[in-house]
Amino acid sequence: MPKAKYENSLDRHYLLKNIPTPPFGDVKARHIVSYDEYVGNGGYQGLRKTLTMTPNEIIGEVKQSSLRGRGGAGFPAGVKWSFLPPIKLADGTEVGDEHAGKDVPVEGRYLAVNADESEPGTFKDRLLMECDPHALLEGIAICCYACRLSKAYIFIRGEYHHQAHVLEKALKEAYEQGIFGDKGIIGSGENTAGPRFRVDCYVHRGAGAYICGEETGLLEAIEGKRGWPRTKPPFPAIKGLFGKPTIINNVETLCHIPDIINHGAAWFCELGVESSVGGPPSFGTKLMGVSGHVERPGVYECELGIPLRTLVDEFCGGMRNGKKFKGAIAGGVSMGVLGPDQFDAELDFDIGRKYNVLGLGTACPTVFDEDTDMVAVCRNISRFFKHESCGQCTPCREGSGWLYQLLCKIESGDGRTKDLDLALEIATSMGTMPGTTICGLADGNNWATRTIMSKYREEFEARVKPTYVPVAMTVGASAKG
């Protein structure tokens, strides 16, 4: 992808339009965007336009945009919204667009916003919440109106103390201005498609568990229970929070919604790339939080499909101290690693099928230079998953512990060649894809271990002693050596 595509492309830089970011702005100019400043920059125009549309028209626009979830899975947001069961009136009639101008019951339908962001190496949502919180709140209001949801809960990770305070202050401003609460969404006078539609929004602090980033574990935590994932089905859209229909969206996903409504689905589809393997497209821009051995780590907004090399060289100032690229975790540690010959990998939703990783994930690359000990990287990732396993599923609870012990043994030089095969055997036996666990935490452990061990096999073999199996040769049952 040529460098010229990213020069002076502020029109392709809309999620961070209020957040100065290189190469378009200076990070020192960052500040918390207030309600007045947000509105002055065109904020809440998407919500006002939404209120002139019917709910089905809004969902249709989001579907046409092919917006895929930015939390890791990449599932189409508009399709997810359409999974909600229809609302029925007292006489059994299903609520449709013809009821847009009537007061219909919406109690007991929820939006759960995944702001947990506990995937190691991921910090993109934090930037949105701490600098431009009203972009998230506008997306929440549009989603709730389109899906007829009565309450929204922003589940934010416990370590995000400052971001939680910023959201609380912004939420107070939104209530005062009639975005949420008794006044209805911006008051009934703006809602030409119907009477006042009330939505309440709450910030719910988490307790710091990685597993609560899994959608059903998140629901359990909001309900005040231990963060244990639920078996599916039933899926959250049918039976979610408090046993009621629930939509779960990531922070960045919701922040895209106002611009899609403002500019239209066709505008959004001009950004990003079509699939190169016959799958769904990767349209729009993506926040990419780059960390590791680069000159300028940070969060950058790029069109999906940008090569990793371009991201590192043109946005991050190249590899730190001019060293060579050795590998990168492209989308959070659970996605696995890109090898030394995959520096030109395109960062879109096809990356899993093309480069033997689990997927794009959060698209927040952690970059490694030539001096990185990949055995230590693998062991450290395994330690994390062992610590964060909720313990509900035996293969994950026990397997993550065994895997960590083996990798510690290999790293210290006490392992043998057979331990490499044993580690891979344990890894491939854990996860939802082998069908042995409820959630995907074990899959993250599985893919991280497998991709690192396979793409850096020589490093692992150099740390272990060869395994010899002596064979005694005999001639006849009574032969003596």
Side-chain angles (χ1 to χ4, degrees):
M1 201 169 287
K3 175 182 177 181
K5 184 169 185 177
Y6 298 99
E7 292 179 346
N8 302 317
S9 56
L10 284 170
D11 57 325
R12 301 173 184 272
H13 190 74
Y14 56 92
L15 281 178
L16 300 182
K17 60 181 177 291
N18 296 326
I19 308 175
T21 303
F24 308 111
D26 187 352
V27 295
K28 295 180 180 178
R30 288 178 178 174
H31 60 282
I32 300 172
V33 178
S34 66
Y35 174 85
D36 291 337
E37 182 182 353
Y38 183 72
V39 171
N41 291 336
Y44 287 111
Q45 289 304 311
L47 178 58
R48 293 179 185 278
K49 183 178 178 180
T50 293
L51 298 179
T52 67
M53 303 166 67
T54 65
N56 286 340
E57 287 174 341
I58 302 165
I59 294 174
E61 193 75 18
V62 176
K63 274 186 179 180
Q64 290 178 29
S65 73
S66 297
L67 171 65
R68 298 176 67 170
R70 281 5 187 194
F75 192 82
V79 175
K80 180 184 285 189
W81 290 7
S82 67
F83 287 162
L84 286 168
I87 298 174
K88 293 186 178 180
L89 301 176
D91 61 0
T93 305
E94 290 187 0
V95 172
D97 281 349
E98 67 275 13
H99 296 92
K102 301 178 182 179
D103 194 10
V104 297
V106 296
E107 286 298 321
R109 291 165 66 92
Y110 302 103
L111 171 65
V113 182
N114 191 342
D116 191 60
E117 195 166 56
S118 50
E119 181 71 21
T122 302
F123 46 94
K124 60 183 180 62
D125 294 341
R126 181 181 69 184
L127 181 63
L128 291 171
M129 291 185 287
E130 71 185 12
C131 291
D132 201 9
H134 283 282
L136 171 60
L137 297 182
E138 183 177 9
I140 289 172
I142 293 173
C143 177
C144 288
Y145 179 74
C147 299
R148 300 180 177 95
L149 310 176
S150 58
K151 290 181 174 62
Y153 292 89
I154 305 172
F155 184 87
I156 186 169
R157 66 179 300 188
E159 293 87 348
Y160 280 1
H161 302 289
H162 172 66
Q163 291 75 16
H165 292 311
V166 171
L167 278 175
E168 289 281 12
K169 183 177 179 180
L171 198 54
K172 183 179 179 181
E173 291 179 322
Y175 267 91
E176 291 171 352
Q177 299 297 329
I179 308 300
F180 301 109
D182 292 334
K183 299 178 183 179
I185 296 183
I186 320 184
S188 59
E190 299 287 344
N191 187 352
T192 58
R196 294 187 181 186
F197 181 84
R198 173 182 177 136
V199 175
D200 285 300
C201 185
Y202 308 93
V203 176
H204 186 102
R205 302 283 295 275
Y210 171 78
I211 196 62
C212 290
E214 194 276 335
E215 61 177 14
T216 58
L218 182 149
L219 297 179
E220 290 284 295
I222 293 178
E223 292 178 3
K225 303 172 186 174
R226 181 175 181 174
W228 273 20
R230 303 173 181 174
T231 56
K232 293 181 285 190
F235 292 94
I238 304 300
K239 186 178 180 182
L241 192 60
F242 307 115
K244 301 295 184 180
T246 303
I247 291 295
I248 305 170
N249 280 140
N250 170 259
V251 169
E252 185 187 348
T253 307
L254 291 167
C255 288
H256 277 286
I257 301 298
D259 288 290
I260 291 174
I261 298 300
N262 261 329
H263 303 294
W267 164 83
F268 188 79
C269 294
E270 292 176 358
L271 310 173
V273 292
E274 293 278 1
S275 172
S276 59
V277 294
S282 299
F283 289 150
T285 63
K286 181 79 181 68
L287 295 187
M288 299 184 181
V290 187
S291 58
H293 303 148
V294 296
E295 289 288 355
R296 187 172 60 206
V299 179
Y300 303 95
E301 184 176 1
C302 311
E303 288 186 61
L304 282 164
I306 182 175
L308 177 60
R309 186 189 298 272
T310 303
L311 176 62
V312 170
D313 291 345
E314 305 300 333
F315 286 80
C316 304
M319 295 294 295
R320 189 175 65 186
N321 300 325
K323 293 188 176 181
K324 294 180 181 179
F325 171 84
K326 185 172 184 177
I329 295 169
V333 297
S334 60
M335 294 296 108
V337 68
L338 294 171
D341 59 341
Q342 297 175 332
F343 197 15
D344 292 304
E346 302 87 3
L347 299 176
D348 58 39
F349 289 103
D350 292 339
I351 193 171
R353 294 170 64 180
K354 292 164 65 176
Y355 297 101
N356 190 29
V357 291
L358 184 55
L360 181 64
T362 58
C364 290
T366 302
V367 182
F368 305 124
D369 67 20
E370 56 189 312
D371 296 331
T372 306
D373 182 350
M374 298 307 295
V375 179
V377 170
C378 191
R379 185 264 309 154
N380 193 37
I381 292 174
S382 180
R383 179 204 61 80
F384 170 80
F385 284 114
K386 170 184 175 295
H387 181 268
E388 293 297 337
S389 173
C390 75
Q392 184 175 188
C393 304
T394 303
C396 180
R397 181 184 67 245
E398 302 298 329
S400 61
W402 296 340
L403 196 56
Y404 175 61
Q405 289 177 23
L406 272 174
L407 290 169
C408 286
K409 184 178 178 182
I410 293 167
E411 183 186 18
S412 65
D414 296 327
R416 293 191 175 273
T417 308
K418 65 179 182 181
D419 292 326
L420 303 181
D421 297 328
L422 181 57
L424 288 172
E425 183 180 349
I426 293 172
T428 52
S429 300
M430 317 188 322
T432 56
M433 281 180 277
T436 60
T437 60
I438 292 174
C439 85
L441 183 143
D443 289 293
N445 199 353
N446 173 348
W447 278 83
T449 301
R450 284 166 52 196
T451 55
I452 294 174
M453 291 187 71
S454 63
K455 295 178 182 181
Y456 301 91
R457 180 78 182 190
E458 296 82 2
E459 278 194 49
F460 285 84
E461 289 180 343
R463 299 286 273 272
V464 297
K465 302 167 186 176
T467 299
Y468 294 106
V469 181
V471 178
M473 299 298 294
T474 62
V475 180
S478 61
K480 295 182 180 180

